[in-house]
Amino acid sequence: MKLGVNIDHVATLRNARGGSFPSPVHAAFVALEAGASNITCHLREDRRHIKDEDVRLISRLTKRLNLEMAANKNIIDIAMEISPRSATIVPERRQELTTEGGLNVLEGIERYKKINKRLRSKKITVSAFIEPEERQIKAAKDAQFDFIEIHTGRYAGTIDQKGMETELLKIKASARYALDLGLGVNAGHGLNYENTYDIALIDGIYELNIGYSILSHSIFVGLHKAVKEMIEIIESAEPPVIKR
Ligand code: PXP
């Protein structure tokens, strides 16, 4: 299982003083160097953290960019221009602190189908950030997404053991269902150094997208080490390779 690192909050810190430091581009390369498979940037409609120049520059320097975005014409045009490796479509509300909940693909299958057709014409892999629900997964298949990203926020936000187990089972069953439909499966949101191991045990998930916990930990240990420690957790959940 791979790790994609979301670097939005490097831009949050930079924007706090309106200058150019710390640089999200620098952060992207430290994370890749530490073993991240992908860099995620969420270019929000209000540009509260990542800016157009950030994604333009990162996409010029590496192909390993996952552009997280609302299904908004202006942002889709930017995606068409910079052609990231993948685009993850998320719902977006101005007032939210972070993405809250998954996309309602079911209510917009034909609209997403058109968007996906456009993005796929540039060989961009399209992913839908959705709740672990069969009806949304089936809708994502019908809308011709390549991947789903399962929203792990409810799992991460549950504090009692029983509730976490229930959420884990939902995520596991959803991953299985999506794989059986021929969709690729990623997962993310709210994952940290305590709750990622159990998600990494789930068979068939391709990549975990993690941001806030890694960047928070990086304040104390540095970004390279923070990324490496998360990769170690993910890899420790993998069965050992038996050489014959
Ligand atoms: N995946 C998606 C679709 C997200 O919106 C976010 C948050 O921007 C993440 C993953 C990463 O979440 P976190 O920052 O809580 O690790």
Side-chain angles (χ1 to χ4, degrees):
M1 198 175 295
K2 294 172 186 296
L3 171 68
V5 176
N6 179 316
I7 57 164
D8 292 346
H9 296 305
V10 177
T12 304
L13 196 56
R14 175 199 58 192
N15 299 349
R17 285 288 170 101
S20 58
F21 185 82
S23 153
V25 179
H26 188 179
F29 280 88
V30 173
L32 289 172
E33 228 266 312
S37 60
N38 224 353
I39 295 301
T40 295
C41 294
H42 185 174
L43 187 64
R44 294 186 78 102
E45 288 169 23
D46 62 9
R47 308 298 199 269
R48 68 171 74 154
H49 36 55
I50 291 291
K51 311 276 186 206
D52 299 39
E53 315 81 82
D54 298 321
V55 290
R56 287 212 167 86
L57 193 50
I58 293 171
S59 71
R60 242 182 273 141
L61 298 171
T62 175
K63 194 61 199 142
R64 289 188 277 166
L65 172 65
N66 170 42
L67 187 65
E68 194 182 310
M69 53 190 256
N72 152 305
K73 165 127 185 13
N74 166 264
I75 313 271
I76 294 167
D77 288 346
I78 294 172
M80 293 298 287
E81 179 202 323
I82 67 171
S83 195
R85 178 156 79 179
S86 56
T88 301
I89 312 291
V90 298
E92 208 174 288
R93 286 194 303 119
R94 288 272 158 134
Q95 298 82 1
E96 67 191 359
L97 288 178
T98 179
T99 313
E100 291 168 357
L103 198 64
N104 191 345
V105 186
L106 196 56
E107 278 187 0
I109 294 180
E110 289 311 313
R111 175 166 170 252
Y112 291 117
K113 210 190 252 186
K114 279 196 199 111
I115 292 169
N116 290 341
K117 192 171 177 206
R118 234 188 124 200
L119 292 167
R120 290 172 92 187
S121 73
K122 286 274 185 183
K123 299 201 174 358
I124 300 168
T125 299
V126 277
S127 179
F129 181 60
I130 55 176
E131 297 297 326
E133 291 172 10
E134 273 194 13
R135 62 197 189 114
Q136 291 295 348
I137 298 168
K138 174 72 172 55
K141 177 69 183 174
D142 293 342
Q144 294 169 2
F145 280 96
D146 302 299
F147 265 76
I148 57 162
E149 179 175 327
I150 299 175
H151 183 208
T152 52
R154 196 185 294 269
Y155 158 76
T158 303
I159 37 176
D160 66 291
Q161 192 60 29
K162 184 115 187 51
M164 276 180 100
E165 278 163 20
T166 306
E167 293 306 321
L168 258 181
L169 285 175
K170 264 194 236 165
I171 294 168
K172 203 170 172 178
S174 298
R176 189 68 266 153
Y177 181 67
L179 289 167
D180 289 347
L181 288 179
L183 288 159
V185 179
N186 295 328
H189 210 284
L191 298 180
N192 59 36
Y193 293 85
E194 275 78 49
N195 63 18
T196 294
Y197 180 81
D198 284 340
I199 294 285
L201 284 173
I202 299 173
D203 246 4
I205 296 181
Y206 179 74
E207 187 171 73
L208 299 180
N209 285 319
I210 308 181
Y212 193 75
S213 62
I214 292 177
L215 293 179
S216 301
H217 190 46
S218 79
I219 292 173
F220 303 105
V221 302
L223 184 56
H224 194 274
K225 192 161 189 296
V227 171
K228 268 202 164 314
E229 284 181 22
M230 189 57 87
I231 291 173
E232 277 164 22
I233 290 171
I234 294 170
E235 287 181 348
S236 70
E238 281 168 11
V241 179
I242 300 166
K243 291 205 176 97
R244 291 179 197 281

